[in-house]
Amino acid sequence: MEGYRASREIPRCTHCSGFLRPCTVLFGETLHPSKLAQARRWAEECDLMIVMGSSLLVAPANKIPEIAIECRIPVALLNQGHTHLDRLVDILLNEQPCGEVCEKLMGSVP
C-alpha cells in the first residue's frame, strides 16, 4: 500500500501480474450471496450498527441497516447528506464529513 501511495501506480500480483484490488465491491459489481447472507445475520445480531458514508441508494446493501432497525438494534448513521433512513435511526450525524466525525469521536475515547 505504501508503494501505491508514493507512486500512484496500481499494484500487481507478484505471481500472475494481475492488478491487486481492495476487498470491496465496486460499483456495478454484484455482492457474493454468502457475504450478503452473513451481513444480514450480523445485522440481526449486533449490539449497534454504524453506517458510514453511504447514500443508501444501492440495493441490496441498502437493506442491511433496515434489518437492524426492524430488530430494534440501535443504528448510528454518519453521512454527509440526507438518506431515506434519517428519521428512523437513533443517532444521525450528517453535517460533517465522516472522517472529521470519526477523528472527534476517537479523540474522546480514553
Side-chain angles (χ1 to χ4, degrees):
M1 195 65 186
E2 290 303 318
Y4 171 74
R5 287 186 183 129
S7 70
R8 290 295 195 212
E9 290 183 25
I10 299 172
R12 292 186 173 270
C13 174
T14 56
H15 179 69
C16 71
S17 298
F19 289 115
L20 296 179
R21 52 177 280 163
C23 186
T24 60
V25 177
L26 302 175
F27 190 76
E29 296 179 330
T30 58
L31 292 171
H32 192 279
S34 68
K35 299 292 185 189
L36 185 57
Q38 179 65 57
R40 288 182 174 135
R41 283 192 298 276
W42 286 340
E44 294 169 348
E45 300 169 359
C46 65
D47 296 319
L48 167 70
M49 177 174 285
I50 301 173
V51 180
M52 295 178 60
S54 175
S55 64
L56 297 174
L57 294 176
V58 181
N62 65 341
K63 302 298 181 194
I64 302 300
E66 293 176 18
I67 293 169
I69 291 168
E70 290 170 6
C71 292
R72 300 187 187 280
I73 292 166
V75 175
L77 176 57
L78 290 75
N79 191 54
Q80 195 171 6
H82 298 283
T83 75
H84 70 283
L85 292 183
D86 287 2
R87 62 183 178 77
L88 300 175
V89 299
D90 300 280
I91 299 169
L92 177 63
L93 300 169
N94 64 0
E95 299 298 323
Q96 296 177 311
C98 293
E100 289 179 17
V101 172
C102 289
E103 286 177 11
K104 289 177 184 176
L105 290 173
M106 294 308 295
S108 65
V109 175

